[in-house]
Amino acid sequence: MSKFATLALAVMIATPFAAAPARAVEISPFFPLPNSFDVTGPIKDGVLAQQISWLDDGIAAIEKARATTTAADKIAELDAQLAAAVKERDILKSDTAGRDAELGRKNLVVTNINRWINALARKATEQLKIAILKDGAERDAAERRHIQLSQQADDLEKLKHDSTFEAWGR
């Protein structure tokens, strides 16, 4: 067998056992969109701390829901969500050094930021629709909320393009 064929066989055998990339937790009732996106200190550290806190809150909510649930299928669903959230939190909290570890953390952070930006954009669009269809105080409130949500999405987008954040993991 040639060296190339041996290498190809080794890759095919090892692939199923390779660690799958972590999937970011979905926005859900357990992991709602954060109310604010204030980042203090260095951007990388601030965003990382915010996402860890967001995950901690969601994990606590899932554990609370699991404690009050008796349906086996619901428990299995909650256990799967809990395992994914704990895995993601552990990756973000890990003190493992190295380029690959840092890139893994950054990718999770960016994936969540992108999800938050998309959710904010959807909410801003909903508010714009209300502003168009309503009048008076309801319209004014919807316009203000649309502006606020759009600004939050823009701020998150700018955060991703900060030079110190972009340099993370390089």
Side-chain angles (χ1 to χ4, degrees):
M1 189 183 291
S2 73
K3 288 181 184 179
F4 178 74
T6 305
L7 179 62
L9 181 60
V11 169
M12 287 180 6
I13 292 171
T15 300
F17 301 106
R23 285 185 22 88
V25 171
E26 298 287 337
I27 294 173
S28 71
F30 299 116
F31 298 96
L33 193 60
N35 290 327
S36 69
F37 301 95
D38 298 329
V39 175
T40 58
I43 290 178
K44 172 193 154 202
D45 297 337
V47 172
L48 202 54
Q50 183 179 36
Q51 289 198 10
I52 290 169
S53 175
W54 179 69
L55 288 165
D56 285 339
D57 292 346
I59 288 168
I62 290 174
E63 289 171 340
K64 183 178 178 182
R66 192 182 185 295
T68 61
T69 301
T70 57
D73 60 333
K74 186 67 174 170
I75 289 174
E77 179 184 322
L78 291 172
D79 285 346
Q81 290 179 35
L82 182 61
V86 168
K87 180 178 180 182
E88 182 173 331
R89 183 189 60 190
D90 290 348
I91 290 170
L92 293 179
K93 286 178 123 179
S94 172
D95 59 357
T96 303
R99 184 174 183 268
D100 290 341
E102 287 297 320
L103 276 175
R105 283 189 282 278
K106 181 180 180 182
N107 287 338
L108 282 173
V109 167
V110 169
T111 299
N112 282 332
I113 289 174
N114 287 337
R115 286 196 174 133
W116 293 351
I117 290 169
N118 291 337
L120 287 166
R122 281 191 300 277
K123 286 183 172 207
T125 301
E126 291 169 11
Q127 293 300 309
L128 186 59
K129 288 177 186 176
I130 291 170
I132 291 169
L133 297 174
K134 302 292 181 173
D135 59 353
E138 194 173 2
R139 182 195 72 222
D140 294 344
E143 284 177 352
R144 284 190 300 277
R145 185 69 176 139
H146 166 75
I147 291 167
Q148 178 187 27
L149 293 166
S150 295
Q151 184 62 51
Q152 286 178 327
D154 291 346
D155 291 347
L156 282 174
E157 190 63 43
K158 287 176 192 170
L159 181 138
K160 286 188 333 186
H161 298 291
D162 179 90
S163 60
T164 58
F165 189 82
E166 285 184 340
W168 182 16
R170 288 187 180 170

